[in-house]
Amino acid sequence: GINAEYMGINQMKKVSSYSSDLVSEEEKDVLKSFGKKNKTCEENINCFFVSVSAFIKDPINPKRVKSFMKYVKRVRDLFHRTSIDGTNPAIINLTRNIYLLQAITRGIANHKTVSFETKKEFATIFRDVLRISDEIEPNSAANYFAIAFEGLYEPLLDSLRDPDNSVFAGEVLTTALKYEPILRKVLSQKFMDKVRVLLDSSEFEIHSITLEIFKVAFNPKHEKEKLFVVSYLSLIHI
């Protein structure tokens, strides 16, 4: 009885280390996933969501940094293994989990505060989630990110101009532009007009990354996407 009571108090302490102001009233249940052993896939996603939000709010807090890096690696491994062997239905079904999609979006938007290695892990999660979800239901996650990209234009454009962050921004964009909903949204928002200026960059790496983005955007695989790209190109002069 005493041990059970102690364990309950100990778990509450772990949960309460993340204050409820990190999540909305509707999202408070995700805090219950902390302090549990042998977490389910969904509980790991919940912890990923909260740890990303906590890190963004206080990126120099050692405990939050440690938790953030722990769950980024855990989620990366879960989806990366599934993308290779396709044997984890629990993970496959979570590619449409709103907490997962929001955490990825927040991580991309705030990528300048994380290490180079963590940027790579976020880019891998983004790529694998899009790929796996597309195999189940075409464009399911891509439809979400097409809308979310409206808040990512400026952070990604800013990072494309920055040699320290251009690799990450380029990887996110070359992944995203392979999916029709995101491609359509990006072109319709004239984001590529701003990216095009970077083709004249004197920085070799920035120029190369920008060129790769254009290759992906303007050489789509599907006929429907090609027609859309042609209509866009007819409005600009390259």
Side-chain angles (χ1 to χ4, degrees), residues 45-84:
I45 297 296
N46 290 345
C47 293
F48 175 57
F49 171 74
V50 176
S51 65
V52 168
S53 300
F55 173 79
I56 291 168
K57 192 162 187 176
D58 187 3
I60 61 172
N61 182 313
K63 289 184 178 180
R64 292 190 174 189
V65 171
K66 183 179 179 180
S67 178
F68 168 72
M69 293 179 69
K70 170 185 174 181
Y71 286 105
V72 169
K73 291 180 187 297
R74 189 169 292 181
V75 171
R76 177 209 61 191
D77 290 345
L78 286 172
F79 284 104
H80 197 50
R81 282 201 301 270
T82 302
S83 72
I84 293 170

Side-chain angles (χ1 to χ4, degrees), residues 202-224:
S202 58
E203 292 274 354
F204 175 76
E205 189 166 47
I206 292 175
H207 171 82
S208 300
I209 290 168
T210 306
L211 191 60
E212 186 61 28
I213 291 168
F214 269 80
K215 284 180 180 178
V216 172
F218 298 139
N219 289 282
K221 295 179 180 179
H222 304 296
E223 198 61 37
K224 187 167 62 172

Side-chain angles (χ1 to χ4, degrees), residues 79 91-97 100-101 129 132-133 136 140-141:
F79 284 104
I91 284 294
I92 289 172
N93 291 331
L94 280 173
T95 56
R96 288 167 285 187
N97 182 296
L100 170 69
L101 301 179
V129 166
I132 296 166
S133 67
I136 311 166
S140 54

Side-chain angles (χ1 to χ4, degrees), residues 226-238:
K226 286 180 182 177
L227 293 173
F228 183 76
V229 168
V230 168
S231 69
Y232 170 79
L233 290 173
S234 68
L235 299 174
I236 65 173
H237 302 286
I238 295 183

Side-chain angles (χ1 to χ4, degrees), residues 23-207:
V23 295
S24 69
E25 194 65 36
E26 295 78 19
E27 296 167 344
K28 284 185 178 178
D29 277 352
V30 300
L31 295 172
K32 296 176 183 177
S33 296
F34 283 95
K36 290 185 177 181
K37 292 184 177 180
N38 302 317
K39 293 181 180 66
T40 65
C41 297
E42 188 170 6
E43 286 167 346
N44 276 302
I45 297 296
N46 290 345
C47 293
F48 175 57
F49 171 74
V50 176
S51 65
V52 168
S53 300
F55 173 79
I56 291 168
K57 192 162 187 176
D58 187 3
I60 61 172
N61 182 313
K63 289 184 178 180
R64 292 190 174 189
V65 171
K66 183 179 179 180
S67 178
F68 168 72
M69 293 179 69
K70 170 185 174 181
Y71 286 105
V72 169
K73 291 180 187 297
R74 189 169 292 181
V75 171
R76 177 209 61 191
D77 290 345
L78 286 172
F79 284 104
H80 197 50
R81 282 201 301 270
T82 302
S83 72
I84 293 170
D85 61 31
T87 57
N88 195 333
I91 284 294
I92 289 172
N93 291 331
L94 280 173
T95 56
R96 288 167 285 187
N97 182 296
I98 191 64
Y99 296 135
L100 170 69
L101 301 179
Q102 286 182 3
I104 294 171
T105 304
R106 292 175 187 180
I108 292 173
N110 294 274
H111 64 272
K112 283 194 171 186
T113 59
V114 306
S115 68
F116 178 75
E117 284 302 316
T118 305
K119 286 186 184 74
K120 285 172 61 178
E121 288 163 349
F122 249 100
T124 298
I125 293 169
F126 181 58
R127 183 188 66 231
D128 288 339
V129 166
L130 277 167
R131 182 193 300 142
I132 296 166
S133 67
D134 203 53
E135 290 171 0
I136 311 166
E137 183 183 336
N139 295 324
S140 54
N143 284 325
Y144 173 88
F145 286 118
I147 297 169
F149 248 72
E150 291 184 17
L152 299 178
Y153 292 139
E154 290 307 316
L156 289 173
L157 187 62
D158 187 48
S159 287
L160 279 175
R161 302 187 187 106
D162 176 6
D164 291 333
N165 290 286
S166 57
V167 171
F168 173 79
E171 190 167 352
V172 168
L173 284 165
T174 51
T175 294
L177 292 171
K178 293 173 183 175
Y179 296 87
E180 183 192 350
I182 304 176
L183 176 66
R184 284 177 171 270
K185 192 73 171 183
V186 168
L187 294 184
S188 66
Q189 295 286 342
K190 299 297 191 292
F191 174 73
M192 295 301 289
D193 292 354
K194 296 179 181 179
V195 175
R196 185 155 48 97
V197 176
L198 298 176
L199 287 171
D200 298 324
S201 174
S202 58
E203 292 274 354
F204 175 76
E205 189 166 47
I206 292 175
H207 171 82

